[in-house]
Amino acid sequence: MKSVSIQIGKKSSEPLYIQIYNEIRKLIMEDYYVNNERLPSIRALSNQLGVNTVTVINAYRLLQNDGFAEIKTGSGTYVKKRELKVISTSPESISDELYTSEDIELMNKGKIDINAAVVNFATTTPSPDIFPLEDFKRVIIETIDSDGAEAFNYQESLGFIGLREIISKKFFSEETSKKMSNIQIISGAQQGIDIVAKALLGQDDCVVVERPTYVGANAVFESRGAKIISVDIKSDGMDMEDLASVMRKYRPKIIYTIPTYHNPTGYIYSLEKRKELLRLAAAFGSYIIEDDYLSELNYYGVGNSNPATGNNQAIRTTQLSLKKMDTNDCTIFVKSFSKLLMPGLRIGFMVVPDHLMERINSAKRATDISTSGLIQRAFFRYIESGLWEKHLDRIMKIYKKRYELMLLYLEDMKKYGVKFTQPGGGFNFWVKLPMGMDANELYYHTAKRGVVFIPGSVFSYGRSSVSANYARLSFAQTDEADIKYGMTVLDDYIEKSAKGYRSANSVYPLV
């Protein structure tokens, strides 16, 4: 059996079993111990370190709980390295957000085989194990039994009337209930953004986006020959002074925004900035695309205080939506269900101003005639029967646990200089790395350990260096064991890099 050198501080305020756990965990992470190798016996290690056997037992139990070891009764404790999950090497396998091969090569320097990914903090696609398969299978069968061949026909181009009606009632309160004629069913938010761009944008028209922002939207606007102008986003929304200056100079056709649980930052627009955004759009004749993809995932209750902000900013879809507040009919509300339900269904809706409906509907017909009739009718039944709310309640509990677990690790990383904002909802953390640390470099090293995420520079138009030391960590597809392992890998590398940076930049007095 290998000898092991472990340093513990008996005068330290940190419990001895935690110190032992951390030391052995590092040896496992650094491949000093290989998979299935037996660790020192409890008695041998307790004698070596001069501690009680119970202390070593607690350390080994913690290693087992966190997935680094396996205790075999009567045999000993053995290293248990996580099996590698094989995923595709395409950019889409890392996330579903239209990253280019150039983005991926930039992150991994062309040398990382993504097949080695164990923990995927990059994707915002939900894991299949939380898909409501049985419930949705039942409504599919009920739809076919009830509607027969009509379920497989083309629907009205606006969408199935039953679905539009229930959306107008379920997603908007009585005083702001939207007419069915203003609701356009779409095949996901990406299609919705593309349809708006087709209908409204011409060559060299100007579009304002947040910096950073969802890369799929930028891809759409670029494809239409638009001129993209980025405005920095702060924790309470876009910099309104900067936006006003941009509006005066460029008079943009469209302002694209994700005001609730923004992607990638998780930020929530304040009420004041929502009002100012609407005022500026009306003053300069611009349209707002309001992209809502996760507003339901508010972990601290509708109308309850959000510990991230200290106020009531964390809200469900319509309470502070720009569309509800808009009195000038300049907002196009785009809602996707892909991230909340099952991404392959490709279902969502838009609420469109009256005077744009004909243009938007024409663009939709030119794109795919209509969204799948079977999926529309089945989703109508899914909402009507109460299964949608049941599903939301279920995933809320799952994601909240993941959110709070990742938050615990991030809080501990503050000692290295890590900074972040607590969004209180969604499933992203936008993490600012310690001074001198580059997110692409971090990705390169953690990917070799089987942990991937998206460096912040990917989300800035033109690959601006503004977000070079930011990382987006998503827990959409990671269970609690994945989070523990992945955050441990990140912690280890960030700790080493932070110490190295401080040492390299130390100033010594002249003697």
Side-chain angles (χ1 to χ4, degrees):
M1 186 180 297
K2 289 178 182 175
S3 61
V4 58
S5 176
I6 293 178
Q7 302 296 323
I8 60 173
K10 293 187 177 180
K11 294 183 179 180
S12 171
S13 60
E14 186 173 49
L16 290 174
Y17 81 95
I18 294 291
Q19 295 183 53
I20 297 170
Y21 160 82
N22 285 331
E23 289 288 316
I24 296 179
R25 184 195 67 187
K26 285 184 180 180
L27 292 173
I28 294 171
M29 299 283 291
E30 292 169 357
D31 294 327
Y32 179 81
Y33 287 114
V34 298
N35 199 32
N36 297 318
E37 184 173 356
R38 187 182 176 191
L39 295 173
S41 71
I42 292 169
R43 187 171 299 280
L45 191 56
S46 66
N47 289 337
Q48 177 186 332
L49 299 176
V51 298
N52 193 293
T53 55
V54 173
T55 301
V56 178
I57 290 171
N58 287 336
Y60 280 179
R61 283 177 177 168
L62 188 56
L63 286 167
Q64 179 172 258
N65 290 342
D66 286 355
F68 292 99
E70 181 180 7
I71 299 172
K72 298 181 180 179
T73 304
S75 177
T77 303
Y78 295 81
V79 173
K80 182 185 178 183
K81 292 202 172 183
R82 299 168 63 85
E83 294 182 5
L84 299 183
K85 301 172 186 175
V86 177
I87 58 176
S88 165
T89 55
S90 69
E92 292 82 1
S93 69
I94 295 183
S95 184
D96 58 340
E97 296 178 276
L98 303 180
Y99 302 119
T100 66
S101 297
E102 186 179 350
D103 288 327
I104 304 306
E105 187 164 350
L106 176 68
M107 290 186 278
N108 64 27
K109 302 182 181 179
K111 299 176 183 177
I112 302 295
D113 182 1
I114 304 305
N115 282 345
V118 174
V119 175
N120 192 342
F121 289 147
T123 186
T124 55
T125 299
S127 52
D129 60 331
I130 65 172
F131 291 174
L133 294 179
E134 291 304 314
D135 284 344
F136 210 83
K137 180 171 72 174
R138 187 166 71 253
V139 297
I140 287 278
I141 293 170
E142 288 173 358
T143 298
I144 295 172
D145 287 345
S146 172
D147 299 358
E150 190 61 30
F152 297 92
N153 257 334
Y154 286 126
Q155 305 301 299
E156 181 184 349
S157 58
L158 285 175
F160 174 54
I161 190 168
L163 180 57
R164 287 188 288 127
E165 180 177 18
I166 204 165
I167 283 172
S168 72
K169 292 177 180 177
K170 290 282 188 180
F171 291 87
F172 294 91
S173 58
E174 289 301 321
E175 69 271 18
T176 58
S177 182
K178 299 299 170 185
K179 293 182 298 183
M180 285 189 294
S181 59
N182 292 105
I183 294 174
Q184 171 71 64
I185 302 300
I186 50 177
S187 303
Q190 188 70 23
Q191 184 187 72
I193 297 167
D194 185 58
I195 286 170
V196 175
K198 279 182 181 177
L200 299 184
L201 290 178
Q203 186 72 27
D204 296 326
D205 278 342
C206 182
V207 176
V208 172
V209 301
E210 295 140 337
R211 182 172 54 230
T213 194
Y214 167 53
V215 294
N218 283 342
V220 167
F221 302 139
E222 276 192 317
S223 74
R224 298 294 158 196
K227 180 181 180 65
I228 301 174
I229 307 296
S230 299
V231 174
D232 286 338
I233 186 171
K234 301 179 183 297
S235 61
D236 63 345
M238 264 194 284
D239 183 323
M240 289 297 150
E241 288 187 9
D242 191 10
L243 177 61
S245 176
V246 165
M247 300 288 280
R248 286 191 292 270
K249 183 175 180 180
Y250 295 101
R251 295 188 173 271
K253 184 70 69 70
I254 289 173
I255 304 168
Y256 172 76
T257 181
I258 310 172
T260 304
Y261 305 134
H262 176 266
N263 184 18
T265 66
Y267 296 158
I268 302 169
Y269 274 58
S270 66
L271 179 59
E272 291 73 20
K273 286 198 171 181
R274 290 173 192 249
K275 289 177 179 177
E276 180 62 8
L277 178 57
L278 288 166
R279 188 192 70 79
L280 287 170
F284 288 92
S286 302
Y287 291 105
I288 297 171
I289 299 178
E290 179 183 10
D291 189 346
D292 181 315
Y293 79 123
L294 283 182
S295 65
E296 288 88 348
L297 289 187
N298 165 24
Y299 303 131
Y300 300 100
V302 179
N304 293 333
S305 179
N306 174 6
T309 59
N311 57 31
N312 294 335
Q313 289 181 11
I315 39 81
R316 290 218 179 193
T317 305
T318 58
Q319 286 183 291
L320 276 182
S321 72
L322 296 171
K323 187 64 182 176
K324 175 179 176 181
M325 298 169 63
D326 183 9
T327 59
N328 293 294
D329 220 15
C330 62
T331 303
I332 303 165
F333 182 83
V334 179
K335 176 69 183 174
S336 172
F337 297 104
S338 298
K339 299 294 190 293
L340 296 170
L341 194 59
M342 294 181 283
L345 290 179
R346 307 313 301 158
I347 188 80
F349 69 91
M350 293 193 294
V351 184
V352 182
D354 280 327
H355 60 281
L356 291 180
M357 275 307 302
E358 186 175 342
R359 292 162 69 181
I360 294 293
N361 188 239
S362 293
K364 166 65 176 175
R365 290 198 303 271
T367 300
D368 65 354
I369 303 177
S370 69
T371 298
S372 164
L374 176 60
I375 297 303
Q376 289 190 63
R377 288 167 178 260
F379 190 48
F380 158 71
R381 287 179 178 273
Y382 190 76
I383 297 173
E384 184 184 46
S385 64
L387 292 172
W388 169 246
E389 288 296 331
K390 171 189 168 185
H391 176 65
L392 281 183
D393 289 342
R394 175 172 170 263
I395 64 172
M396 188 83 74
K397 293 172 184 175
I398 294 170
Y399 286 134
K400 184 180 179 182
K401 284 183 179 178
R402 296 178 184 180
Y403 171 88
E404 292 181 341
L405 179 59
M406 185 173 279
L407 178 60
L408 282 175
Y409 280 91
L410 288 172
E411 287 285 356
D412 190 56
M413 290 184 194
K414 284 181 177 179
K415 62 191 177 189
Y416 310 133
V418 165
K419 297 179 181 178
F420 61 94
T421 298
Q422 297 181 35
F427 39 55
N428 298 329
F429 281 98
W430 184 240
V431 180
K432 186 176 184 180
L433 301 173
M435 185 177 293
M437 190 177 299
D438 181 82
N440 288 309
E441 187 70 20
L442 175 64
Y443 176 96
Y444 175 68
H445 289 282
T446 63
K448 289 193 290 186
R449 294 283 181 187
V451 179
V452 294
F453 59 89
I454 301 296
S457 58
V458 171
F459 297 98
S460 291
Y461 183 67
R463 289 192 180 82
S464 163
S465 62
V466 172
S467 301
N469 68 328
Y470 281 85
R472 190 195 71 180
L473 305 181
S474 169
F475 48 84
Q477 204 169 103
T478 53
D479 60 22
E480 291 178 44
D482 285 338
I483 292 171
K484 288 178 180 179
Y485 176 82
M487 295 304 286
T488 299
V489 171
L490 288 168
D491 184 285
D492 284 347
Y493 186 77
I494 289 173
E495 179 187 15
K496 290 175 185 176
S497 298
K499 286 180 178 177
Y501 179 82
R502 286 196 297 270
S503 176
N505 289 275
S506 297
V507 178
Y508 299 95
L510 296 174
V511 178

